[in-house]
Amino acid sequence: MTLPPADSALGKLMATLPRPGRVEWIGVRPARGVIMQALDEAIASAGGGLDGDRYKGGSGKRGITLIQAEHLPAIAALAGRDAVEPALLRRNIVISGLPLIALKDRRFRLGEALLEWTESCDPCSMMEAALGPGGFNAMRGHGGVCARVIEGGRIRRGDALVPADA
């Protein structure tokens, strides 16, 4: 998708966000298939991911995964559950108060770190096992985003997420 020019009416609307986002939860996946570890803070490494996460040393395209807090109840409802714990969905950071889709193709500050949207974080087949039959489809459209770490730094629960160009 080609974005409209930044100085166009639609470009200005797309750049205007309701308020900063807020870090509600942080977790790392030490290895494939193991339970995520919830943290109060984490260190993001440039070109990698969060210290202690299995994706830290990767290509960086999927360095950190984020999911929108407001989508958790929707995923739970679609999966026929009362609630869904963030660790079950295997995303690193839960953000509230900001529509993550508005960060598409943008850089943003998360705590001390500078991140860049790389792609949507589509669900994988593990969600079927984690959420039960239909879990994969319950997450479609709600899987969050992947981001590359441009500048490393500390990220804490309660930190703001703001566009870098704001």
Coordinates of all heavy atoms in Angstrom, one line a residue, residues 54-113:
R54 N 14.4 -14.9 22.5 CA 15.0 -15.7 21.4 C 15.2 -15.0 20.1 O 16.0 -15.5 19.3 CB 14.2 -17.0 21.2 CG 12.9 -16.8 20.4 CD 12.1 -18.2 20.5 NE 11.1 -18.2 19.4 CZ 11.3 -18.9 18.3 NH1 12.4 -19.5 18.0 NH2 10.4 -18.9 17.3
Y55 N 14.5 -13.9 19.8 CA 14.7 -13.2 18.6 C 15.7 -12.1 18.7 O 16.0 -11.4 17.7 CB 13.4 -12.6 18.1 CG 12.4 -13.6 17.5 CD1 11.3 -14.0 18.2 CD2 12.7 -14.1 16.3 CE1 10.5 -15.0 17.7 CE2 11.8 -15.1 15.7 CZ 10.7 -15.5 16.4 OH 9.9 -16.4 15.9
K56 N 16.4 -11.9 19.8 CA 17.3 -10.8 20.0 C 18.4 -10.8 19.0 O 18.8 -9.8 18.5 CB 18.0 -10.9 21.4 CG 18.9 -9.7 21.7 CD 19.6 -9.8 23.0 CE 20.4 -8.6 23.2 NZ 21.8 -8.7 22.8
G57 N 19.0 -12.0 18.6 CA 20.1 -12.0 17.7 C 19.7 -12.1 16.2 O 20.6 -12.3 15.4
G58 N 18.4 -12.1 15.9 CA 18.0 -12.3 14.6 C 18.3 -11.2 13.6 O 19.0 -10.3 13.9
S59 N 17.6 -11.2 12.5 CA 17.8 -10.2 11.5 C 17.3 -8.8 11.9 O 17.6 -7.8 11.2 CB 17.0 -10.6 10.2 OG 15.6 -10.5 10.4
G60 N 16.5 -8.7 12.9 CA 16.0 -7.4 13.3 C 14.6 -7.1 12.8 O 13.9 -6.2 13.4
K61 N 14.2 -7.7 11.7 CA 12.9 -7.4 11.1 C 11.8 -7.7 12.1 O 10.8 -7.0 12.2 CB 12.7 -8.2 9.9 CG 11.5 -7.9 9.1 CD 11.4 -8.7 7.8 CE 10.1 -8.5 7.1 NZ 10.1 -9.3 5.8
R62 N 12.0 -8.7 12.9 CA 11.0 -9.1 13.9 C 11.6 -9.0 15.3 O 11.4 -9.8 16.2 CB 10.6 -10.6 13.6 CG 9.4 -11.1 14.3 CD 9.1 -12.5 13.9 NE 8.3 -13.1 14.9 CZ 6.9 -13.2 14.8 NH1 6.3 -12.7 13.7 NH2 6.2 -13.7 15.7
G63 N 12.4 -8.0 15.5 CA 13.1 -7.8 16.7 C 12.2 -7.7 17.9 O 12.5 -8.3 19.0
I64 N 11.1 -6.9 17.8 CA 10.2 -6.8 18.9 C 8.8 -6.9 18.4 O 8.5 -6.3 17.3 CB 10.4 -5.5 19.7 CG1 11.7 -5.4 20.4 CG2 9.2 -5.2 20.7 CD1 12.0 -4.1 21.1
T65 N 7.9 -7.6 19.1 CA 6.5 -7.7 18.6 C 5.7 -7.0 19.6 O 5.9 -7.1 20.8 CB 6.1 -9.2 18.5 OG1 6.3 -9.9 19.7 CG2 6.9 -9.9 17.4
L66 N 4.7 -6.3 19.1 CA 3.8 -5.5 19.9 C 2.3 -5.9 19.6 O 2.0 -6.2 18.4 CB 3.9 -4.0 19.7 CG 5.3 -3.4 19.9 CD1 6.1 -3.4 18.6 CD2 5.2 -2.1 20.5
I67 N 1.5 -5.9 20.6 CA 0.1 -6.1 20.4 C -0.7 -5.1 21.2 O -0.3 -4.6 22.2 CB -0.3 -7.6 20.8 CG1 -1.7 -7.9 20.3 CG2 -0.2 -7.7 22.3 CD1 -2.0 -9.4 20.4
Q68 N -1.9 -4.7 20.6 CA -2.7 -3.7 21.2 C -3.6 -4.3 22.4 O -4.3 -5.3 22.2 CB -3.6 -3.1 20.1 CG -4.2 -1.8 20.4 CD -4.8 -1.2 19.2 OE1 -4.3 -1.3 18.1 NE2 -6.0 -0.6 19.3
A69 N -3.5 -3.7 23.5 CA -4.2 -4.1 24.7 C -5.7 -4.2 24.4 O -6.4 -5.1 24.9 CB -4.0 -3.2 25.9
E70 N -6.3 -3.3 23.7 CA -7.7 -3.2 23.4 C -8.1 -4.4 22.5 O -9.3 -4.7 22.5 CB -8.1 -1.9 22.7 CG -7.9 -0.7 23.6 CD -6.5 -0.2 23.7 OE1 -5.6 -0.7 23.1 OE2 -6.3 0.8 24.4
H71 N -7.2 -5.1 21.9 CA -7.5 -6.3 21.1 C -7.6 -7.6 21.9 O -8.2 -8.6 21.5 CB -6.5 -6.5 20.0 CG -6.7 -5.5 18.9 ND1 -6.1 -5.6 17.7 CD2 -7.4 -4.3 18.8 CE1 -6.4 -4.6 16.9 NE2 -7.2 -3.8 17.6
L72 N -7.1 -7.6 23.1 CA -7.1 -8.8 23.9 C -8.5 -9.3 24.2 O -8.8 -10.5 24.1 CB -6.3 -8.6 25.2 CG -4.8 -8.3 25.0 CD1 -4.1 -8.2 26.3 CD2 -4.1 -9.3 24.1
P73 N -9.4 -8.4 24.6 CA -10.8 -8.9 24.9 C -11.5 -9.4 23.6 O -12.3 -10.3 23.6 CB -11.5 -7.6 25.4 CG -10.5 -6.8 26.0 CD -9.3 -7.0 25.1
A74 N -11.1 -8.8 22.5 CA -11.7 -9.2 21.2 C -11.2 -10.6 20.9 O -12.0 -11.5 20.5 CB -11.4 -8.3 20.1
I75 N -9.9 -10.9 21.0 CA -9.3 -12.2 20.8 C -10.0 -13.2 21.7 O -10.4 -14.3 21.3 CB -7.8 -12.2 21.0 CG1 -7.2 -11.3 19.9 CG2 -7.3 -13.6 20.9 CD1 -5.7 -11.0 20.1
A76 N -10.1 -12.9 23.0 CA -10.8 -13.8 24.0 C -12.2 -14.1 23.5 O -12.6 -15.3 23.5 CB -10.8 -13.1 25.4
A77 N -13.0 -13.1 23.2 CA -14.4 -13.3 22.8 C -14.4 -14.2 21.5 O -15.2 -15.2 21.5 CB -15.1 -12.0 22.5
L78 N -13.6 -14.0 20.5 CA -13.6 -14.7 19.3 C -13.1 -16.2 19.5 O -13.5 -17.1 18.8 CB -12.7 -14.1 18.2 CG -13.3 -12.7 17.7 CD1 -12.2 -12.0 16.9 CD2 -14.6 -12.9 17.0
A79 N -12.3 -16.4 20.6 CA -11.8 -17.7 20.9 C -12.7 -18.4 21.9 O -12.4 -19.5 22.3 CB -10.4 -17.6 21.5
G80 N -13.8 -17.8 22.4 CA -14.7 -18.4 23.3 C -14.1 -18.4 24.7 O -14.5 -19.4 25.5
R81 N -13.3 -17.5 25.1 CA -12.7 -17.5 26.4 C -13.2 -16.2 27.2 O -13.5 -15.2 26.6 CB -11.2 -17.4 26.3 CG -10.6 -18.6 25.7 CD -9.1 -18.4 25.3 NE -8.4 -19.7 25.4 CZ -7.6 -20.1 26.3 NH1 -7.3 -19.3 27.4 NH2 -7.0 -21.3 26.3
D82 N -13.0 -16.3 28.5 CA -13.4 -15.1 29.3 C -12.3 -14.0 29.2 O -12.6 -12.8 29.2 CB -13.5 -15.5 30.8 CG -14.7 -16.4 31.0 OD1 -15.7 -16.3 30.3 OD2 -14.7 -17.2 32.0
A83 N -11.0 -14.4 29.1 CA -9.9 -13.5 29.0 C -8.7 -14.2 28.4 O -8.7 -15.5 28.3 CB -9.5 -13.0 30.4
V84 N -7.8 -13.4 27.9 CA -6.5 -14.0 27.3 C -5.4 -13.3 28.0 O -5.3 -12.0 28.0 CB -6.5 -13.8 25.8 CG1 -5.1 -14.2 25.3 CG2 -7.6 -14.5 25.1
E85 N -4.5 -14.0 28.6 CA -3.2 -13.5 29.2 C -2.3 -13.1 28.1 O -2.1 -13.9 27.1 CB -2.6 -14.4 30.2 CG -3.4 -14.7 31.4 CD -3.6 -13.4 32.2 OE1 -2.7 -12.7 32.4 OE2 -4.8 -13.2 32.7
P86 N -1.6 -12.0 28.2 CA -0.6 -11.6 27.1 C 0.4 -12.7 26.8 O 0.8 -12.9 25.6 CB 0.0 -10.3 27.7 CG -1.0 -9.8 28.6 CD -1.7 -11.0 29.2
A87 N 1.0 -13.3 27.8 CA 2.0 -14.3 27.6 C 1.5 -15.4 26.6 O 2.3 -16.0 25.9 CB 2.5 -14.9 28.9
L88 N 0.3 -15.8 26.7 CA -0.3 -16.8 25.8 C -0.2 -16.5 24.3 O 0.0 -17.3 23.5 CB -1.8 -17.0 26.2 CG -2.4 -18.3 25.7 CD1 -1.7 -19.5 26.3 CD2 -3.9 -18.3 26.2
L89 N -0.2 -15.2 24.0 CA -0.2 -14.7 22.6 C 1.3 -14.5 22.1 O 1.5 -14.3 20.9 CB -1.0 -13.4 22.5 CG -2.4 -13.5 22.9 CD1 -3.1 -12.2 22.8 CD2 -3.1 -14.7 22.2
R90 N 2.3 -14.6 23.0 CA 3.7 -14.7 22.6 C 4.2 -13.4 21.9 O 5.0 -13.4 21.0 CB 4.0 -15.9 21.8 CG 3.6 -17.2 22.5 CD 4.1 -18.4 22.0 NE 5.5 -18.6 22.1 CZ 6.3 -18.8 23.2 NH1 5.7 -18.9 24.4 NH2 7.6 -18.9 23.1
R91 N 3.6 -12.2 22.3 CA 4.1 -10.9 21.8 C 4.9 -10.3 22.9 O 4.6 -10.6 24.1 CB 2.9 -10.0 21.4 CG 2.0 -10.6 20.3 CD 2.7 -11.0 19.0 NE 1.8 -11.3 17.9 CZ 1.6 -12.6 17.6 NH1 2.1 -13.6 18.2 NH2 0.8 -12.8 16.5
N92 N 5.9 -9.5 22.6 CA 6.8 -9.0 23.6 C 6.1 -7.9 24.4 O 6.4 -7.8 25.6 CB 8.0 -8.4 23.0 CG 8.9 -9.4 22.3 OD1 9.1 -9.4 21.1 ND2 9.4 -10.4 23.1
I93 N 5.4 -7.0 23.8 CA 4.9 -5.8 24.5 C 3.4 -5.6 24.2 O 3.0 -5.6 23.0 CB 5.8 -4.6 24.1 CG1 7.2 -4.8 24.5 CG2 5.2 -3.3 24.8 CD1 8.2 -3.7 24.1
V94 N 2.7 -5.3 25.2 CA 1.3 -4.9 25.1 C 1.2 -3.4 25.3 O 1.7 -2.8 26.3 CB 0.4 -5.6 26.2 CG1 -1.0 -5.2 26.1 CG2 0.5 -7.1 26.0
I95 N 0.6 -2.8 24.3 CA 0.4 -1.3 24.3 C -1.1 -0.9 24.4 O -1.9 -1.5 23.6 CB 1.0 -0.7 23.0 CG1 2.5 -1.0 22.8 CG2 0.7 0.8 22.9 CD1 3.4 -0.3 23.8
S96 N -1.4 0.0 25.2 CA -2.8 0.5 25.3 C -2.8 2.0 24.8 O -1.8 2.7 24.8 CB -3.3 0.4 26.7 OG -2.6 1.3 27.6
G97 N -4.0 2.4 24.4 CA -4.3 3.8 24.2 C -3.9 4.3 22.8 O -4.1 5.5 22.5
L98 N -3.4 3.5 21.9 CA -2.9 3.9 20.6 C -3.2 2.8 19.6 O -2.9 1.7 19.8 CB -1.4 4.2 20.7 CG -0.8 4.7 19.3 CD1 -0.4 6.1 19.4 CD2 0.4 3.8 19.1
P99 N -3.8 3.2 18.5 CA -4.0 2.1 17.5 C -2.7 1.8 16.7 O -2.2 2.7 16.0 CB -5.0 2.8 16.5 CG -4.9 4.2 16.7 CD -4.4 4.4 18.1
L100 N -2.2 0.6 17.0 CA -0.9 0.3 16.4 C -0.8 0.4 14.9 O 0.2 0.7 14.3 CB -0.5 -1.1 16.9 CG -0.2 -1.3 18.4 CD1 0.1 -2.7 18.7 CD2 1.0 -0.4 18.8
I101 N -1.9 0.2 14.2 CA -2.0 0.3 12.8 C -1.6 1.7 12.3 O -1.0 1.8 11.2 CB -3.3 -0.2 12.2 CG1 -3.3 -0.3 10.7 CG2 -4.4 0.8 12.6 CD1 -2.5 -1.4 10.2
A102 N -1.8 2.7 13.2 CA -1.4 4.0 12.8 C 0.1 4.2 12.7 O 0.6 5.3 12.3 CB -2.0 5.0 13.8
L103 N 0.9 3.2 13.2 CA 2.3 3.3 13.2 C 2.9 2.7 11.9 O 4.2 2.7 11.7 CB 2.9 2.6 14.4 CG 2.5 3.2 15.7 CD1 3.0 2.3 16.9 CD2 3.0 4.6 15.9
K104 N 2.1 2.2 11.0 CA 2.5 1.6 9.8 C 3.5 2.4 9.0 O 3.3 3.6 8.8 CB 1.4 1.2 8.9 CG 1.8 0.5 7.6 CD 0.5 0.0 6.9 CE 0.8 -0.7 5.6 NZ 2.0 -1.5 5.4
D105 N 4.7 1.8 8.7 CA 5.8 2.5 8.0 C 6.4 3.7 8.7 O 6.9 4.6 8.1 CB 5.3 2.9 6.6 CG 4.9 1.6 5.8 OD1 5.5 0.6 6.0 OD2 4.0 1.7 5.0
R106 N 6.3 3.7 10.0 CA 6.8 4.9 10.8 C 7.8 4.4 11.8 O 7.8 3.2 12.2 CB 5.6 5.6 11.5 CG 4.6 6.2 10.6 CD 3.5 6.8 11.3 NE 3.8 8.1 11.9 CZ 2.9 8.8 12.5 NH1 1.6 8.4 12.6 NH2 3.2 10.0 13.0
R107 N 8.6 5.3 12.3 CA 9.4 5.1 13.4 C 8.7 5.7 14.7 O 8.0 6.6 14.6 CB 10.8 5.8 13.2 CG 11.6 5.1 12.2 CD 13.0 5.7 12.1 NE 13.8 4.9 11.2 CZ 15.1 5.0 11.0 NH1 15.7 6.0 11.6 NH2 15.7 4.2 10.2
F108 N 9.0 5.0 15.8 CA 8.4 5.5 17.1 C 9.3 5.2 18.2 O 10.2 4.3 18.2 CB 7.0 4.8 17.2 CG 7.0 3.3 17.1 CD1 7.1 2.5 18.3 CD2 6.9 2.7 15.9 CE1 7.1 1.1 18.2 CE2 6.9 1.3 15.8 CZ 7.0 0.5 16.9
R109 N 9.1 6.0 19.3 CA 9.9 5.9 20.5 C 9.0 5.1 21.5 O 7.8 5.3 21.7 CB 10.1 7.3 21.1 CG 11.1 8.1 20.4 CD 12.5 8.1 21.1 NE 13.5 8.7 20.2 CZ 14.7 8.2 20.1 NH1 15.0 7.2 20.8 NH2 15.5 8.7 19.3
L110 N 9.7 4.2 22.1 CA 9.1 3.3 23.1 C 10.1 3.3 24.3 O 11.2 2.7 24.2 CB 8.9 1.9 22.6 CG 8.2 0.9 23.5 CD1 6.8 1.5 23.9 CD2 8.0 -0.4 22.8
G111 N 9.8 4.1 25.3 CA 10.8 4.3 26.4 C 12.0 5.0 25.8 O 11.9 6.0 25.1
E112 N 13.2 4.5 26.0 CA 14.4 5.0 25.5 C 14.7 4.6 24.1 O 15.7 5.1 23.5 CB 15.6 4.7 26.4 CG 15.5 5.2 27.9 CD 16.5 4.6 28.8 OE1 17.3 3.7 28.4 OE2 16.6 5.1 30.0
A113 N 14.0 3.6 23.6 CA 14.4 2.9 22.3 C 13.6 3.6 21.2 O 12.5 4.1 21.3 CB 14.0 1.4 22.4

